Amino acid sequence: MMDTMLLDAAEKLFAASLSPAVITALESGADALPLWATLTQAGLADVLISETQGGVGLTMAALFPLARAAGEHGVPLPLIETALLRPLTGTLPDGPMAIASTVAHTAAGWHAPRVPFGAVAGVLAVELDGKAQLVPLKHATRQAHGLDADITLTPETLAVALPLPEGTALAELGALAQAARIAGALSKVLAMSIEHATTRAQFGRKIADFQAVQHQLAELAEAVQLASLAAEMGFVAGRPEKGALMPALAKARTSALAARGAAIAHAVHGAMGIAQEFPLQIFTRALHSARLAHGAEGFWQDRLGAALLSSGQTSADFVDTALTP
Amino acid sequence: MSTPAFAPLSYANLPDSAEALRARIRAFLAPRMAKLQPQVRARSWMGFDADFSRALAGAGFVGLTLPKAYGGAGLDHFSRFVVVEELLRVGAPVCAHWIADRQSGPLIARYGTEAQKAFYLPRIAKAEAFFGIGMSEPQAGSDLSAIRTRAERISDGWRINGQKLWTTYAHRAHYLIALVRTSGTPEDRHKGLSQLIIDLKTPGITVRTIPDLAGDSHFNEVFFDNVVVPEEALIGQEGGGWAQVNAELAFERAGPERIYSSIVLFETWLDALRQRPANAVTQRLAGRLVSELATLRALSVAVTARLAAGESPLLEAALAKDAGTGFEQELISLLADVIAADAPPDLLATLHYLMLVAPTFSLRGGTREILRSMIARGLGLR
Ligand SMILES: Cc1cc2nc3c(=O)[nH]c(=O)nc-3n(C[C@H](O)[C@H](O)[C@H](O)COP(=O)(O)OP(=O)(O)OC[C@H]3O[C@@H](n4cnc5c(N)ncnc54)[C@H](O)[C@@H]3O)c2cc1C
């Protein structure tokens, strides 16, 4: 009951504070802090924190509908990454927390490419030399790509880093957040595609009358259903450990479905979907970006395949014991 | 923001009461399945073994959802899910009792008279009465309303003339539930159709088997030449056949039936894979397929949970079936793609068989195109 009230309130807040214009502005470098303040003042970053510590005390399973809704509304901030990390940090750090799951050492410092929401984050959760930590980004070098960014951490930025608990499964947490984002964005592009197909007319009738269009949208609805379940299973399984399989399932399935779903939505929208001023692209770009974030489907399928083969179990037993939350 | 056209189902767990059945059905199956080759087990739905079905019934696993008063197990949808899932996962030869268990029995329980229930249901639960489904005809495939087989009322029953086609195991079943025209003409479409329970030993019935492309004999043509059946053959409402058949097909589409048709191949391939050093391509493919399987299974449980809650999730069941049969088919071609020159003979035999019958997965019980059109209607597109 508490959960549905929270979800309703969050959806209202998303609807009231987000629009294609707001999202596009953030993608173009506008200040993200006012929107972040709105979301955090509503307590949305603290939902996993216990009630005694001023949070809502949601379970990971109960966070999923909120995470999905954030994707559906196109929340252009790492709200879910932050919510997932919050129980591991003390006070709320300065600004939203993005997650980098891989970094490379370069001459300029540690380099993390294409960090999802890296352009609008205030803090980066990253593992360096085996230690998970929170690095404030005020003085980091960033090359923004819309909401994502290539981030370089110089020695000075690292001086102010705060430790995260040992063994924090950053890649898995990041994968869960982006899986839910895909599930939500797929719902959004299905709704937009249905709306478009039932209003756009060609050959004297609405394009939804054409069976080829109907059948593609049926397939998109399947992608919406399957992505939502796969992502939810990842959340229902609870806080992941490093190497966990449920985030791998969530990210492997949603990533593959993101690509198919975006392709169908564009096919149905025709040239209109390609135009920058039409909002479909906000969500299909999110789908592509989220698909690649923290590794696309093949990367996570490798983990699942290795575990299945070494388990010695039948696929049925493996599904029941390892891939059912 | 307006309400979404489609709200996906949420994750649901199988309850412990249903899970409790799993060990029992596994113990029943293990000794019986151990010696069967994978290419035999891959036939599963098409495998007819009356002794197996009767033993299964003896152990209490047939007529799972039929009321206890009529010899059924009186179990819920979740329990049926677990039992059916375990049968299909090992490729048990379920065909003999299958149609009666999943379609005819529930149909009779829902629409039958007291006498019909008392006569048929205990026999179904004991695997003594096997059923066939007489819907398709030469001119009525996807479009069932084009049915021409006609039953005229006579003084003490019905006289049937016409032909059914593709009737699975009509040559071995005891009864056929046929959808026939009891009034009007094919131009009246779905009006005037009724369902009759026909004893296949009735004079005037000729059953001719149609061998399939793999050399198996499971489906048939069934001819009716002035076949006379009693008044009580009518099941449900006269003229209500269309609604009844649609309820029956909705039931057919739920459950775990639509994800496991290729599972024996997957298991056989995994076994072979474990005999050799891992390779990046096959390892990734194993991961891909098991991730799809786990998600589709969760969807099937989620649909079952809606059924158990007394809802009739037509759109979701159609989605699940279409996605599930797509997976069953794709698994076969993806594994064919990575078959090595030294693949074990059982694996090759299983693959050869499944490649041939794979198209049927998205034909039986409503074709892919028909399902997608149903989904499109559910989405408000038509
Ligand atoms: C192994 C097997 C067992 C079977 N067992 C039984 C049984 O026991 N009892 C029984 O009654 N039937 C049985 N069937 C028949 C099955 O129900 C039919 O095959 C099915 O309903 C399709 O009909 P059809 O084969 O005549 O194909 P058609 O209806 O002729 O379809 C051919 C193609 O046209 C497409 N098509 C048709 N209409 C449309 C439309 N409106 N929009 C878009 N595309 C369309 C179809 O999707 C398909 O691709 C069985 C079939 C198989 C393969």
Side-chain angles (χ1 to χ4, degrees):
Chain A
M1 205 47 223
M2 183 62 214
D3 303 354
T4 44
M5 279 167 55
L6 180 84
L7 182 64
D8 285 350
E11 293 220 65
K12 285 208 183 78
L13 187 62
F14 293 155
S17 45
L18 295 172
S19 64
V22 169
I23 297 170
T24 305
L26 288 204
E27 287 187 320
S28 317
D31 185 6
L33 285 181
L35 177 61
W36 184 241
T38 306
L39 300 181
T40 50
Q41 275 156 22
L44 296 183
D46 284 347
V47 287
L48 290 186
I49 300 210
S50 69
E51 284 176 271
T52 52
Q53 291 180 300
V56 186
L58 286 191
T59 59
M60 291 269 292
L63 172 61
F64 175 71
L66 178 65
R68 195 176 170 285
E72 191 164 353
H73 289 266
V75 172
L77 290 166
L79 174 65
I80 303 309
E81 281 85 347
T82 304
L84 288 167
L85 288 167
R86 275 294 283 129
L88 310 177
T89 69
T91 48
L92 182 63
D94 210 4
M97 294 186 272
I99 295 176
S101 52
T102 46
V103 286
H105 205 82
T106 66
W110 291 100
H111 184 71
R114 290 275 174 172
V115 175
F117 299 123
V120 287
V123 180
L124 185 67
V126 61
E127 190 176 300
L128 302 172
D129 288 329
K131 289 195 190 69
Q133 44 201 290
L134 292 176
V135 184
L137 290 173
K138 206 172 274 171
H139 302 295
T141 320
R142 281 191 250 196
Q143 170 70 51
H145 305 282
L147 299 171
D148 301 348
D150 302 326
I151 299 179
T152 307
L153 304 172
T154 55
E156 307 83 79
T157 53
L158 295 179
V160 288
L162 299 166
L164 279 167
E166 202 177 319
T168 300
L170 288 178
E172 289 76 8
L173 291 171
L176 285 178
Q178 294 293 314
R181 183 184 182 203
I182 290 173
L186 280 172
S187 269
K188 179 69 179 182
V189 302
L190 173 64
M192 293 178 84
S193 300
I194 291 173
E195 170 73 22
H196 183 73
T198 48
T199 44
R200 167 77 172 165
Q202 284 293 280
F203 298 97
R205 44 192 185 144
K206 60 187 197 313
I207 58 169
D209 287 344
F210 299 113
Q211 201 178 54
V213 171
Q214 293 173 5
H215 288 192
Q216 289 198 70
L217 291 178
E219 204 188 330
L220 179 52
E222 288 169 21
V224 168
Q225 174 64 74
L226 291 168
S228 182
L229 263 183
E232 183 177 9
M233 288 162 80
F235 279 75
V236 172
R239 187 163 286 279
E241 297 190 347
K242 279 189 173 183
L245 295 180
M246 290 309 294
L249 173 78
K251 192 62 173 51
R253 287 311 292 128
T254 53
S255 296
L257 295 162
R260 182 75 192 120
I264 293 173
H266 275 296
V268 170
H269 275 83
M272 179 72 93
I274 306 300
Q276 195 170 48
E277 70 171 290
F278 191 80
L280 179 70
Q281 50 89 15
I282 291 175
F283 294 90
T284 54
R285 281 189 299 108
L287 285 171
H288 293 305
S289 174
R291 176 195 184 192
L292 299 189
H294 309 296
E297 58 271 27
F299 174 82
W300 295 97
Q301 288 162 0
D302 283 343
R303 179 184 287 187
L304 295 169
L308 169 61
L309 290 175
S310 65
S311 71
Q313 290 178 304
T314 62
S315 66
D317 283 339
F318 188 77
V319 164
D320 288 355
T321 57
L323 296 185
T324 299
Chain B
M1 189 170 287
S2 58
T3 44
F6 171 62
L9 293 181
S10 306
Y11 180 76
N13 264 315
L14 287 169
D16 292 343
S17 57
E19 283 292 354
L21 283 169
R22 199 179 294 280
R24 273 182 51 213
I25 178 73
R26 284 191 173 197
F28 174 88
L29 288 169
R32 289 177 169 82
M33 302 307 297
K35 282 195 282 298
L36 290 183
Q37 289 177 300
Q39 58 270 40
V40 174
R41 291 190 285 115
R43 282 165 166 82
S44 197
W45 278 48
M46 293 291 140
F48 189 106
D49 181 342
D51 291 338
F52 174 87
S53 290
R54 275 191 282 270
L56 189 70
F61 292 119
V62 177
L64 290 168
T65 58
L66 297 181
K68 279 192 171 150
Y70 300 102
L75 291 172
D76 62 8
H77 291 281
F78 290 117
S79 304
R80 177 179 185 277
F81 184 98
V82 169
V83 172
V84 167
E85 167 170 82
E86 290 300 324
L87 287 166
L88 297 180
R89 279 172 162 183
V90 295
V94 293
C95 195
H97 70 278
W98 193 236
I99 290 169
D101 187 69
R102 65 202 291 257
Q103 274 178 260
S104 317
L107 176 83
I108 294 168
R110 179 159 170 195
Y111 296 108
T113 61
E114 185 50 41
Q116 285 170 328
K117 290 194 261 192
F119 182 81
Y120 293 108
L121 298 185
R123 287 173 171 77
I124 288 175
K126 284 190 219 147
E128 286 171 1
F130 302 145
F131 279 69
I133 299 169
M135 295 190 193
S136 306
E137 296 184 3
Q139 303 309 322
S142 296
D143 181 10
L144 280 180
S145 68
I147 274 175
R148 286 154 196 256
T149 297
R150 170 172 290 283
E152 313 161 59
R153 227 179 227 296
I154 51 175
S155 59
D156 51 354
W158 304 90
R159 182 169 31 233
I160 310 165
N161 280 290
Q163 180 193 352
K164 291 291 168 184
L165 189 58
W166 314 123
T167 324
T168 297
Y169 280 104
H171 60 308
R172 312 271 304 262
H174 306 100
Y175 301 98
L176 183 70
I177 298 191
L179 183 64
V180 298
R181 187 161 290 291
T182 44
S183 67
T185 67
E187 283 66 51
D188 290 314
R189 311 284 298 160
H190 53 266
K191 288 197 220 94
L193 297 177
S194 306
Q195 285 184 297
L196 298 177
I197 308 180
I198 301 169
D199 185 333
L200 283 163
K201 290 188 302 296
T202 314
I205 297 178
T206 310
V207 177
R208 217 157 49 206
T209 294
I210 306 172
D212 80 2
L213 76 182
D216 290 348
S217 292
H218 45 81
F219 51 30
N220 298 273
E221 310 178 82
V222 182
F223 299 91
F224 301 88
D225 179 10
N226 289 308
V227 173
V228 175
V229 295
E231 189 95 50
E232 314 82 81
L234 179 73
I235 169 96
Q237 289 275 313
E238 181 178 347
W242 182 253
Q244 290 172 205
V245 157
N246 281 304
E248 189 180 341
L249 285 174
F251 202 81
E252 194 264 358
R253 285 183 192 121
E257 282 89 339
R258 301 305 182 165
I259 52 182
Y260 288 121
S261 298
S262 311
I263 192 78
V264 172
L265 175 66
F266 190 36
E267 296 297 350
T268 309
W269 178 72
L270 287 173
D271 283 345
L273 218 53
R274 289 183 177 125
Q275 309 301 316
R276 58 181 76 220
N279 123 0
V281 172
T282 50
Q283 173 177 309
R284 176 170 292 189
L285 182 54
R288 169 180 169 180
L289 292 171
V290 82
S291 72
E292 295 189 19
L293 178 62
T295 311
L296 288 164
R297 176 180 186 264
L299 175 53
S300 189
V301 176
V303 172
T304 302
R306 303 327 309 157
L307 279 174
E311 297 169 22
S312 156
L314 286 182
L315 170 61
E316 291 82 358
L319 277 173
K321 180 182 168 188
D322 187 41
T325 54
F327 165 75
E328 292 175 333
Q329 291 172 334
E330 216 178 4
L331 185 150
I332 297 166
S333 64
L334 288 169
L335 293 194
D337 183 35
V338 298
I339 279 298
D342 59 346
D346 277 354
L347 175 59
L348 284 175
T350 308
L351 183 57
H352 272 279
Y353 167 71
L354 283 172
M355 287 192 301
L356 297 182
V357 298
T360 66
F361 301 167
S362 57
L363 294 175
R364 54 192 190 188
T367 68
R368 167 163 298 134
E369 291 70 30
I370 295 300
L371 286 175
R372 289 191 174 174
S373 292
M374 286 177 52
I375 296 166
R377 176 173 295 126
L379 294 174
L381 293 167
R382 53 190 286 261

